[in-house]
Amino acid sequence: QAELAIYNFSREQFDRGIDYLLESLTYSIRINSVKGMLRCMGLFEEFRHFTSYEKQQKYKKLVSEVHKRNEKKIGLSVGYL
């Protein structure tokens, strides 16, 4: 999916690219692929200015899920930050 996002970005089809990117991030979270999550998050930040408010909110929710999983993995609490 990330490759499809990059392809669409190169064709200036940003809305479609962001859709593929969010799907890819969702899948990366599901299979717990840290490399995939980081790749998707980096690409999203690079193309954030092409996204709608709704897609930014969806991304924010997905990133929140990544943070929750990471906290469980390393055993930190938000209270310690």
Side-chain angles (χ1 to χ4, degrees):
Q1 299 289 349
E3 288 77 16
L4 288 171
I6 293 167
Y7 172 77
N8 280 283
F9 292 149
S10 72
R11 297 179 56 94
E12 297 185 6
Q13 296 175 343
F14 300 108
D15 198 51
R16 181 180 283 175
I18 292 295
D19 287 339
Y20 281 121
L21 194 57
L22 292 173
E23 286 178 32
S24 182
L25 179 56
T26 300
Y27 181 72
S28 294
I29 293 168
R30 188 176 313 128
I31 66 169
N32 203 28
S33 170
V34 174
K35 185 176 179 179
M37 287 183 255
L38 290 173
R39 183 177 188 200
C40 291
M41 292 167 74
L43 283 168
F44 187 91
E45 293 304 331
E46 187 175 339
F47 291 94
R48 174 185 284 277
H49 56 284
F50 292 107
T51 62
S52 66
Y53 175 78
E54 292 79 18
K55 291 183 182 175
Q56 288 182 23
Q57 291 303 106
K58 183 174 182 177
Y59 173 74
K60 186 176 178 180
K61 185 176 179 181
L62 290 169
V63 169
S64 176
E65 179 64 28
V66 171
H67 284 284
K68 286 178 193 174
R69 288 175 182 247
N70 189 50
E71 285 178 3
K72 287 181 184 178
K73 186 176 180 179
I74 62 174
L76 290 179
S77 170
V78 175
Y80 290 110
L81 299 177

